[in-house]
Amino acid sequence: MQRVAQIVSLWIIGLGLAHADAAREALDRISECSSIADSAKRLQCFDRAVPSAKEALAPKPEDFGKPVPPPREVAQVVAVVRQLSKTVRGRAVFVLDNGQTWRQIDGDDVQVLEPPPGTALKVTIERGVFGSYHLTIEGRNELVRVRRVE
């Protein structure tokens, strides 16, 4: 049943952008159902919640032609650098504790220095203009322009 809740939740998130409020309420109801331990009661809860989710996601004539709002994005990522290395051209490559890998772009000439031994390098990555990303290192004033590799 939990798998059903996950699939329905993803379906609501993916398709419900134009009907965010109603879809959000339906998702909340389905999420509540997934926490019910008794399987019969959980199924009854899903059976009650799914029709409102379908209704919230149904296309409506008044929405025809409206631009679809972009999905909400994470404003920034804060992480600890697990591994810092350099490319052949001397650009920094950051492997973060969340599994992401970011690389300093070729046009950026900021020199990224290794932290002192035993010191964690905490970074914040934020979206810049025109789809660019900026990485800042905690305690330093430099702004490193990066792109995501993995």
Side-chain angles (χ1 to χ4, degrees), residues 6-16 50 53-55 57:
Q6 290 171 340
I7 291 170
V8 172
S9 297
L10 290 174
W11 179 62
I12 289 171
I13 291 169
L15 297 176
V50 169
K54 285 183 178 180
E55 183 180 324
L57 297 174

Side-chain angles (χ1 to χ4, degrees), residues 7-122:
I7 291 170
V8 172
S9 297
L10 290 174
W11 179 62
I12 289 171
I13 291 169
L15 297 176
L17 296 175
H19 311 287
D21 292 337
R24 186 65 172 148
E25 289 174 20
L27 180 59
D28 289 344
R29 278 190 229 115
I30 289 172
S31 179
E32 290 170 7
C33 294
S34 68
S35 64
I36 298 173
D38 181 75
S39 60
K41 289 181 181 179
R42 186 173 53 247
L43 180 59
Q44 288 175 344
C45 183
F46 280 127
D47 287 345
R48 286 190 306 270
V50 169
S52 63
K54 285 183 178 180
E55 183 180 324
L57 297 174
K60 296 182 177 35
E62 60 269 16
D63 293 333
F64 181 76
K66 284 185 179 178
V68 177
R72 291 184 290 163
E73 291 189 19
V74 175
Q76 66 181 12
V77 172
V78 178
V80 175
V81 176
R82 189 174 57 201
Q83 179 184 354
L84 177 65
S85 60
K86 299 277 182 153
T87 66
V88 175
R89 293 183 167 199
R91 301 297 177 234
V93 177
F94 304 87
V95 178
L96 307 180
D97 61 349
N98 64 10
Q100 296 177 356
T101 302
W102 293 79
R103 179 184 160 311
Q104 183 178 16
I105 64 169
D106 287 330
D108 189 72
D109 59 357
V110 172
Q111 294 298 316
V112 179
L113 304 175
E114 289 277 342
T119 305
L121 200 60
K122 188 174 179 183

Side-chain angles (χ1 to χ4, degrees), residues 95-148:
V95 178
L96 307 180
D97 61 349
N98 64 10
Q100 296 177 356
T101 302
W102 293 79
R103 179 184 160 311
Q104 183 178 16
I105 64 169
D106 287 330
D108 189 72
D109 59 357
V110 172
Q111 294 298 316
V112 179
L113 304 175
E114 289 277 342
T119 305
L121 200 60
K122 188 174 179 183
V123 297
T124 301
I125 301 172
E126 297 177 298
R127 182 178 292 279
V129 294
F130 304 116
S132 65
Y133 294 92
H134 300 138
L135 178 144
T136 54
I137 300 170
E138 185 178 79
R140 301 185 191 174
N141 291 331
E142 297 132 345
L143 185 82
V144 183
R145 294 183 297 159
V146 293
R147 68 177 171 84
R148 185 162 175 190

